[in-house]
Amino acid sequence: MKKIVFAIITIILSFACTSELKEAVEGSKGSSKDNQMTYCGETEPGKVARKFAPEFISKKDRNEFGICFSKNGKELFFGIDKNGKAETHYSKWVDGVWSKPEAILIDDVFSFNDPMLSPDENRLYFISDKSLDNSKNKKDYDIWYIEKNDKDWSEPINAGTNINTSSNEYFISFTSENKMYFSSNKEATENNNNNFDIYSSTSSNNKFNTAVKLGANINTNRYEADVFIAPNESYIIFCARRSDGFGRGDLYISFKDEKGNWSPSKNMGETINSKNHE
């Protein structure tokens, strides 16, 4: 559990980049003295939110989002915004060095964003406005995935109508039992298009069942999205825009009790949240 949870905590609670990381990107080898390289040049996360891996992951004048680490901490995937279009980038830990991040999902028309590995790590899920008919016409955002094969990854596969709708589906997170949590604005009205809600879907035979909307302790008639679910489903963290918030979008948390009910979600406070968007 610790390694999986780290994937989101590294975004929220992190420290300044080191010169060792910059040297590694330029091709130098790591060593036994470079233990901090395990965290992309960071020490382990603490209680103060700071920019993660400046000039390696977090670059000036560029938006990055949706970072995901493999369970062994040696592969990472993240999205960037490039001229209004999202790409998914990848880096791997080899011989004590993180490789220079490169695009693995990129297109001249469509966006590929919010990468998330499945629990068995055989699939990489993401969102895209890719068309269903292989045309170059954008559609709403759906959840897609690629599968690992012997040499590389498969072509993108749509997650299907039990998950996707004619509206937007955003960001994916999994329990250890392969239960998917994500957000959708399929119930949004024309004058409230930002009314995203959080849904969950169990899986059977590697296919997802009809998604179920979470209750009023999580969802409102405003924005709830960008969800992270604990691997054992004991808590959920998500972004929401509410009157008790500090800014444009804050992180909230809710805990599940023994009966399977979610507690009223609470703002995670100004140590995490700011006047901007978390």
Side-chain angles (χ1 to χ4, degrees):
M1 176 178 171
K2 182 179 179 182
K3 292 181 180 178
I4 302 172
V5 174
F6 174 73
I8 186 166
I9 293 178
T10 48
I11 306 170
I12 303 170
L13 309 173
S14 51
F15 294 80
C17 186
T18 64
S19 59
E20 285 88 349
L21 179 60
K22 293 179 181 178
E23 292 171 4
V25 173
E26 294 170 359
S28 303
K29 293 294 181 184
S31 72
S32 59
K33 296 180 181 179
D34 294 336
N35 290 331
Q36 69 269 35
M37 287 290 293
T38 304
Y39 303 104
C40 294
E42 314 283 334
T43 53
E44 289 191 50
K47 293 183 177 181
V48 178
R50 297 186 182 179
K51 189 180 293 184
F52 179 62
E55 300 313 311
F56 179 60
I57 301 297
S58 303
K59 294 194 174 184
K60 186 178 179 181
D61 300 324
R62 187 182 78 174
N63 290 330
E64 301 88 15
F65 23 65
I67 194 167
C68 167
F69 284 81
S70 60
K71 291 178 183 178
N72 64 9
K74 294 185 177 181
E75 294 178 276
L76 65 87
F77 306 81
F78 64 101
I80 72 161
D81 182 271
K82 191 171 184 180
N83 300 320
K85 184 170 59 65
E87 304 172 357
T88 294
H89 286 212
Y90 169 77
S91 178
K92 186 175 184 179
W93 169 272
V94 180
D95 296 331
V97 176
W98 283 101
S99 64
K100 185 176 181 179
E102 296 183 353
I104 62 165
L105 286 168
I106 186 173
D107 189 83
D108 56 355
V109 174
F110 305 122
S111 287
F112 300 95
N113 194 8
D114 294 345
M116 180 61 68
L117 285 166
S118 61
D120 64 8
E121 302 193 338
N122 288 326
R123 289 180 176 180
L124 179 69
Y125 284 80
F126 54 92
I127 66 169
S128 178
D129 53 1
K130 176 179 168 60
S131 64
L132 295 173
D133 59 3
N134 291 321
S135 71
K136 286 296 184 179
N137 299 317
K138 290 185 179 182
K139 68 181 299 293
D140 58 279
Y141 277 90
D142 276 355
I143 292 172
W144 296 72
Y145 63 90
I146 50 178
E147 290 186 315
K148 275 186 178 179
N149 53 43
D150 292 338
K151 297 181 179 179
D152 202 356
W153 294 92
S154 70
E155 291 297 311
I157 301 166
N158 191 276
T161 55
N162 283 343
I163 299 296
N164 295 313
T165 67
S166 58
S167 297
N168 293 304
E169 280 69 44
Y170 278 174
F171 208 89
I172 315 101
S173 186
F174 292 99
T175 70
S176 57
E177 300 299 320
N178 205 38
K179 185 176 182 180
M180 179 195 289
Y181 280 74
F182 65 98
S183 59
S184 174
N185 68 344
K186 67 179 182 180
E187 293 188 4
T189 58
E190 188 174 344
N191 63 352
N192 188 16
N193 196 46
N194 277 326
N195 179 18
F196 279 82
D197 293 313
I198 295 172
Y199 293 78
S200 67
S201 173
T202 56
S203 63
S204 304
N205 299 319
N206 227 12
K207 293 184 178 180
F208 286 96
N209 301 313
T210 301
V212 176
K213 181 180 173 181
L214 273 63
N217 281 346
I218 305 296
N219 291 314
T220 68
N221 61 355
R222 304 183 72 179
Y223 181 92
E224 286 88 23
D226 307 318
V227 58
F228 171 82
I229 186 68
N232 65 359
E233 212 172 4
S234 60
Y235 66 88
I236 187 171
I237 297 173
F238 59 94
C239 176
R241 297 171 186 168
R242 297 178 180 173
S243 58
D244 66 341
F246 293 89
R248 293 170 51 214
D250 285 359
L251 293 179
Y252 285 74
I253 190 167
S254 173
F255 296 89
K256 181 175 276 192
D257 65 22
E258 309 117 14
K259 297 180 179 179
N261 299 314
W262 290 106
S263 66
S265 47
K266 293 184 178 181
N267 191 295
M268 294 185 73
E270 59 186 346
T271 304
I272 299 297
N273 295 310
S274 71
K275 65 180 181 180
N276 294 311
H277 188 96
E278 276 72 42

Short mmCIF file of all heavy atoms in Angstrom, two decimals, residues 157-196:
data_model
loop_
_atom_site.label_atom_id
_atom_site.label_comp_id
_atom_site.label_asym_id
_atom_site.label_seq_id
_atom_site.Cartn_x
_atom_site.Cartn_y
_atom_site.Cartn_z
N ILE A 157 -7.48 1.37 -26.63
CA ILE A 157 -8.75 0.63 -26.58
C ILE A 157 -9.72 1.41 -25.70
O ILE A 157 -9.38 1.79 -24.57
CB ILE A 157 -8.53 -0.77 -26.00
CG1 ILE A 157 -7.52 -1.56 -26.86
CG2 ILE A 157 -9.87 -1.54 -25.90
CD1 ILE A 157 -7.00 -2.83 -26.20
N ASN A 158 -10.92 1.66 -26.20
CA ASN A 158 -11.92 2.38 -25.42
C ASN A 158 -12.44 1.50 -24.29
O ASN A 158 -12.66 0.30 -24.47
CB ASN A 158 -13.07 2.82 -26.32
CG ASN A 158 -14.01 3.79 -25.66
OD1 ASN A 158 -14.92 3.39 -24.94
ND2 ASN A 158 -13.81 5.08 -25.91
N ALA A 159 -12.66 2.08 -23.10
CA ALA A 159 -13.08 1.30 -21.93
C ALA A 159 -14.53 0.86 -21.99
O ALA A 159 -14.96 0.08 -21.14
CB ALA A 159 -12.84 2.11 -20.66
N GLY A 160 -15.30 1.33 -22.95
CA GLY A 160 -16.65 0.80 -23.17
C GLY A 160 -17.76 1.63 -22.56
O GLY A 160 -17.54 2.55 -21.77
N THR A 161 -19.00 1.27 -22.92
CA THR A 161 -20.16 2.08 -22.57
C THR A 161 -20.62 1.93 -21.12
O THR A 161 -21.46 2.72 -20.66
CB THR A 161 -21.34 1.74 -23.51
OG1 THR A 161 -21.59 0.32 -23.45
CG2 THR A 161 -21.02 2.12 -24.93
N ASN A 162 -20.12 0.96 -20.39
CA ASN A 162 -20.43 0.89 -18.96
C ASN A 162 -19.68 1.98 -18.18
O ASN A 162 -20.04 2.30 -17.05
CB ASN A 162 -20.07 -0.47 -18.38
CG ASN A 162 -21.09 -1.52 -18.73
OD1 ASN A 162 -22.20 -1.20 -19.13
ND2 ASN A 162 -20.72 -2.78 -18.58
N ILE A 163 -18.65 2.54 -18.81
CA ILE A 163 -17.86 3.61 -18.22
C ILE A 163 -18.11 4.93 -18.96
O ILE A 163 -18.41 5.95 -18.35
CB ILE A 163 -16.36 3.28 -18.27
CG1 ILE A 163 -16.06 2.00 -17.47
CG2 ILE A 163 -15.53 4.45 -17.76
CD1 ILE A 163 -16.33 2.12 -15.99
N ASN A 164 -17.98 4.90 -20.26
CA ASN A 164 -18.01 6.12 -21.06
C ASN A 164 -19.42 6.47 -21.55
O ASN A 164 -20.25 5.59 -21.77
CB ASN A 164 -17.07 5.97 -22.26
CG ASN A 164 -15.62 5.85 -21.83
OD1 ASN A 164 -15.15 6.63 -21.00
ND2 ASN A 164 -14.90 4.88 -22.38
N THR A 165 -19.63 7.78 -21.73
CA THR A 165 -20.92 8.30 -22.20
C THR A 165 -20.66 9.32 -23.30
O THR A 165 -19.52 9.52 -23.73
CB THR A 165 -21.69 8.97 -21.05
OG1 THR A 165 -20.98 10.16 -20.66
CG2 THR A 165 -21.82 8.04 -19.85
N SER A 166 -21.71 10.01 -23.70
CA SER A 166 -21.56 11.09 -24.69
C SER A 166 -21.10 12.39 -24.03
O SER A 166 -20.97 13.42 -24.69
CB SER A 166 -22.88 11.32 -25.41
OG SER A 166 -23.91 11.64 -24.48
N SER A 167 -20.85 12.35 -22.71
CA SER A 167 -20.28 13.48 -21.99
C SER A 167 -18.82 13.17 -21.66
O SER A 167 -18.24 12.23 -22.21
CB SER A 167 -21.09 13.74 -20.72
OG SER A 167 -22.42 14.10 -21.03
N ASN A 168 -18.22 13.92 -20.74
CA ASN A 168 -16.80 13.76 -20.43
C ASN A 168 -16.57 12.86 -19.22
O ASN A 168 -17.24 13.01 -18.19
CB ASN A 168 -16.17 15.12 -20.14
CG ASN A 168 -16.13 16.02 -21.37
OD1 ASN A 168 -15.58 15.63 -22.40
ND2 ASN A 168 -16.69 17.21 -21.26
N GLU A 169 -15.64 11.94 -19.37
CA GLU A 169 -15.17 11.13 -18.25
C GLU A 169 -13.71 11.48 -17.98
O GLU A 169 -12.90 11.53 -18.91
CB GLU A 169 -15.32 9.63 -18.55
CG GLU A 169 -16.72 9.10 -18.36
CD GLU A 169 -17.72 9.61 -19.38
OE1 GLU A 169 -17.37 9.63 -20.59
OE2 GLU A 169 -18.84 10.01 -18.99
N TYR A 170 -13.40 11.73 -16.70
CA TYR A 170 -12.08 12.22 -16.32
C TYR A 170 -11.41 11.33 -15.28
O TYR A 170 -12.07 10.76 -14.42
CB TYR A 170 -12.19 13.62 -15.70
CG TYR A 170 -12.29 14.76 -16.68
CD1 TYR A 170 -12.51 16.06 -16.21
CD2 TYR A 170 -12.15 14.58 -18.04
CE1 TYR A 170 -12.60 17.13 -17.09
CE2 TYR A 170 -12.24 15.63 -18.92
CZ TYR A 170 -12.47 16.91 -18.45
OH TYR A 170 -12.55 17.96 -19.31
N PHE A 171 -10.12 11.27 -15.31
CA PHE A 171 -9.22 10.73 -14.29
C PHE A 171 -9.68 9.39 -13.72
O PHE A 171 -10.84 9.19 -13.43
CB PHE A 171 -9.02 11.73 -13.14
CG PHE A 171 -7.67 11.58 -12.48
CD1 PHE A 171 -6.59 12.28 -12.95
CD2 PHE A 171 -7.50 10.74 -11.40
CE1 PHE A 171 -5.33 12.14 -12.36
CE2 PHE A 171 -6.25 10.58 -10.80
CZ PHE A 171 -5.18 11.29 -11.28
N ILE A 172 -8.74 8.49 -13.53
CA ILE A 172 -9.03 7.12 -13.13
C ILE A 172 -8.16 6.77 -11.93
O ILE A 172 -6.99 7.14 -11.85
CB ILE A 172 -8.71 6.13 -14.28
CG1 ILE A 172 -9.26 6.64 -15.61
CG2 ILE A 172 -9.25 4.75 -13.95
CD1 ILE A 172 -8.22 7.27 -16.50
N SER A 173 -8.74 6.02 -11.00
CA SER A 173 -7.97 5.49 -9.87
C SER A 173 -8.55 4.12 -9.52
O SER A 173 -9.75 3.89 -9.70
CB SER A 173 -8.04 6.43 -8.67
OG SER A 173 -7.19 5.99 -7.63
N PHE A 174 -7.69 3.21 -9.04
CA PHE A 174 -8.10 1.83 -8.80
C PHE A 174 -7.86 1.40 -7.36
O PHE A 174 -6.87 1.78 -6.74
CB PHE A 174 -7.32 0.87 -9.71
CG PHE A 174 -7.65 0.99 -11.16
CD1 PHE A 174 -6.82 1.73 -12.01
CD2 PHE A 174 -8.77 0.38 -11.69
CE1 PHE A 174 -7.11 1.84 -13.35
CE2 PHE A 174 -9.06 0.48 -13.03
CZ PHE A 174 -8.23 1.22 -13.87
N THR A 175 -8.75 0.54 -6.86
CA THR A 175 -8.46 -0.21 -5.65
C THR A 175 -7.58 -1.40 -6.03
O THR A 175 -7.40 -1.71 -7.21
CB THR A 175 -9.74 -0.73 -4.99
OG1 THR A 175 -10.31 -1.76 -5.82
CG2 THR A 175 -10.76 0.39 -4.79
N SER A 176 -7.05 -2.08 -5.04
CA SER A 176 -6.22 -3.26 -5.31
C SER A 176 -7.04 -4.39 -5.92
O SER A 176 -6.49 -5.31 -6.52
CB SER A 176 -5.54 -3.73 -4.02
OG SER A 176 -6.50 -4.01 -3.02
N GLU A 177 -8.39 -4.32 -5.78
CA GLU A 177 -9.28 -5.33 -6.34
C GLU A 177 -9.78 -4.94 -7.73
O GLU A 177 -10.74 -5.51 -8.23
CB GLU A 177 -10.47 -5.56 -5.40
CG GLU A 177 -10.08 -6.05 -4.01
CD GLU A 177 -9.37 -7.38 -4.05
OE1 GLU A 177 -9.78 -8.25 -4.84
OE2 GLU A 177 -8.38 -7.55 -3.29
N ASN A 178 -9.15 -3.93 -8.35
CA ASN A 178 -9.47 -3.50 -9.70
C ASN A 178 -10.84 -2.80 -9.81
O ASN A 178 -11.47 -2.81 -10.86
CB ASN A 178 -9.41 -4.65 -10.71
CG ASN A 178 -9.14 -4.17 -12.13
OD1 ASN A 178 -8.36 -3.24 -12.34
ND2 ASN A 178 -9.79 -4.78 -13.10
N LYS A 179 -11.30 -2.20 -8.73
CA LYS A 179 -12.50 -1.37 -8.78
C LYS A 179 -12.09 0.02 -9.22
O LYS A 179 -11.20 0.63 -8.63
CB LYS A 179 -13.18 -1.32 -7.42
CG LYS A 179 -14.52 -0.59 -7.40
CD LYS A 179 -15.16 -0.69 -6.01
CE LYS A 179 -16.51 -0.01 -5.96
NZ LYS A 179 -17.12 -0.11 -4.61
N MET A 180 -12.74 0.51 -10.27
CA MET A 180 -12.36 1.80 -10.84
C MET A 180 -13.19 2.94 -10.25
O MET A 180 -14.41 2.82 -10.11
CB MET A 180 -12.56 1.80 -12.36
CG MET A 180 -12.20 3.13 -13.04
SD MET A 180 -12.83 3.28 -14.73
CE MET A 180 -11.78 2.11 -15.60
N TYR A 181 -12.51 4.03 -9.92
CA TYR A 181 -13.16 5.28 -9.55
C TYR A 181 -12.80 6.33 -10.60
O TYR A 181 -11.65 6.39 -11.05
CB TYR A 181 -12.71 5.75 -8.17
CG TYR A 181 -13.40 5.05 -7.02
CD1 TYR A 181 -13.09 3.74 -6.68
CD2 TYR A 181 -14.37 5.71 -6.27
CE1 TYR A 181 -13.72 3.09 -5.63
CE2 TYR A 181 -15.02 5.07 -5.22
CZ TYR A 181 -14.69 3.77 -4.90
OH TYR A 181 -15.34 3.13 -3.87
N PHE A 182 -13.77 7.14 -11.00
CA PHE A 182 -13.52 8.17 -12.01
C PHE A 182 -14.61 9.23 -11.89
O PHE A 182 -15.53 9.11 -11.06
CB PHE A 182 -13.53 7.55 -13.41
CG PHE A 182 -14.87 7.00 -13.84
CD1 PHE A 182 -15.73 7.74 -14.65
CD2 PHE A 182 -15.28 5.74 -13.43
CE1 PHE A 182 -16.97 7.24 -15.04
CE2 PHE A 182 -16.52 5.23 -13.81
CZ PHE A 182 -17.36 5.98 -14.61
N SER A 183 -14.53 10.27 -12.69
CA SER A 183 -15.56 11.32 -12.67
C SER A 183 -16.19 11.49 -14.04
O SER A 183 -15.58 11.16 -15.07
CB SER A 183 -14.96 12.65 -12.19
OG SER A 183 -13.91 13.06 -13.05
N SER A 184 -17.40 12.02 -14.05
CA SER A 184 -18.14 12.25 -15.29
C SER A 184 -19.09 13.43 -15.10
O SER A 184 -19.60 13.65 -14.00
CB SER A 184 -18.95 11.00 -15.68
OG SER A 184 -19.77 11.27 -16.81
N ASN A 185 -19.33 14.18 -16.17
CA ASN A 185 -20.33 15.25 -16.12
C ASN A 185 -21.58 14.89 -16.92
O ASN A 185 -22.25 15.75 -17.47
CB ASN A 185 -19.75 16.59 -16.59
CG ASN A 185 -19.41 16.62 -18.08
OD1 ASN A 185 -19.32 15.58 -18.72
ND2 ASN A 185 -19.21 17.81 -18.62
N LYS A 186 -21.88 13.59 -16.94
CA LYS A 186 -23.02 13.13 -17.74
C LYS A 186 -24.35 13.63 -17.20
O LYS A 186 -25.35 13.63 -17.93
CB LYS A 186 -23.02 11.60 -17.84
CG LYS A 186 -23.28 10.85 -16.54
CD LYS A 186 -23.27 9.36 -16.79
CE LYS A 186 -23.57 8.55 -15.54
NZ LYS A 186 -23.55 7.09 -15.79
N GLU A 187 -24.43 14.06 -15.95
CA GLU A 187 -25.67 14.61 -15.39
C GLU A 187 -25.67 16.13 -15.37
O GLU A 187 -26.60 16.75 -14.82
CB GLU A 187 -25.90 14.07 -13.98
CG GLU A 187 -26.18 12.57 -13.95
CD GLU A 187 -26.60 12.09 -12.57
OE1 GLU A 187 -26.74 12.93 -11.66
OE2 GLU A 187 -26.77 10.86 -12.40
N ALA A 188 -24.65 16.74 -15.96
CA ALA A 188 -24.57 18.20 -15.98
C ALA A 188 -25.65 18.79 -16.87
O ALA A 188 -26.03 18.23 -17.90
CB ALA A 188 -23.20 18.65 -16.46
N THR A 189 -26.16 19.94 -16.46
CA THR A 189 -27.13 20.67 -17.28
C THR A 189 -26.37 21.63 -18.19
O THR A 189 -25.18 21.90 -18.01
CB THR A 189 -28.10 21.46 -16.39
OG1 THR A 189 -27.36 22.37 -15.57
CG2 THR A 189 -28.91 20.51 -15.51
N GLU A 190 -27.08 22.18 -19.16
CA GLU A 190 -26.45 23.04 -20.15
C GLU A 190 -25.80 24.27 -19.52
O GLU A 190 -24.76 24.74 -19.96
CB GLU A 190 -27.48 23.48 -21.19
CG GLU A 190 -26.89 24.23 -22.37
CD GLU A 190 -27.92 24.52 -23.44
OE1 GLU A 190 -29.00 23.90 -23.42
OE2 GLU A 190 -27.64 25.38 -24.30
N ASN A 191 -26.42 24.80 -18.45
CA ASN A 191 -25.88 25.99 -17.81
C ASN A 191 -24.95 25.65 -16.63
O ASN A 191 -24.55 26.54 -15.89
CB ASN A 191 -27.01 26.90 -17.34
CG ASN A 191 -27.90 26.23 -16.29
OD1 ASN A 191 -27.74 25.04 -16.03
ND2 ASN A 191 -28.82 26.98 -15.72
N ASN A 192 -24.63 24.38 -16.44
CA ASN A 192 -23.74 23.97 -15.35
C ASN A 192 -22.87 22.81 -15.81
O ASN A 192 -22.88 21.73 -15.24
CB ASN A 192 -24.55 23.58 -14.11
CG ASN A 192 -23.67 23.34 -12.89
OD1 ASN A 192 -22.51 23.73 -12.87
ND2 ASN A 192 -24.22 22.67 -11.89
N ASN A 193 -22.09 23.06 -16.85
CA ASN A 193 -21.31 22.00 -17.49
C ASN A 193 -20.18 21.48 -16.62
O ASN A 193 -19.63 20.41 -16.86
CB ASN A 193 -20.74 22.52 -18.82
CG ASN A 193 -20.27 21.39 -19.72
OD1 ASN A 193 -20.97 20.40 -19.89
ND2 ASN A 193 -19.10 21.55 -20.30
N ASN A 194 -19.82 22.23 -15.57
CA ASN A 194 -18.74 21.81 -14.67
C ASN A 194 -19.25 20.96 -13.51
O ASN A 194 -18.52 20.73 -12.55
CB ASN A 194 -18.00 23.03 -14.13
CG ASN A 194 -16.94 23.51 -15.10
OD1 ASN A 194 -16.31 22.72 -15.80
ND2 ASN A 194 -16.74 24.81 -15.16
N ASN A 195 -20.48 20.50 -13.59
CA ASN A 195 -21.01 19.61 -12.55
C ASN A 195 -20.52 18.18 -12.80
O ASN A 195 -21.22 17.34 -13.37
CB ASN A 195 -22.53 19.64 -12.52
CG ASN A 195 -23.11 18.69 -11.48
OD1 ASN A 195 -22.42 18.27 -10.56
ND2 ASN A 195 -24.38 18.36 -11.62
N PHE A 196 -19.28 17.92 -12.38
CA PHE A 196 -18.72 16.57 -12.47
C PHE A 196 -19.01 15.84 -11.17
O PHE A 196 -18.94 16.41 -10.08
CB PHE A 196 -17.21 16.63 -12.69
CG PHE A 196 -16.80 16.85 -14.10
CD1 PHE A 196 -16.78 18.13 -14.64
CD2 PHE A 196 -16.41 15.79 -14.91
CE1 PHE A 196 -16.40 18.35 -15.96
CE2 PHE A 196 -16.02 15.99 -16.23
CZ PHE A 196 -16.02 17.28 -16.75
#
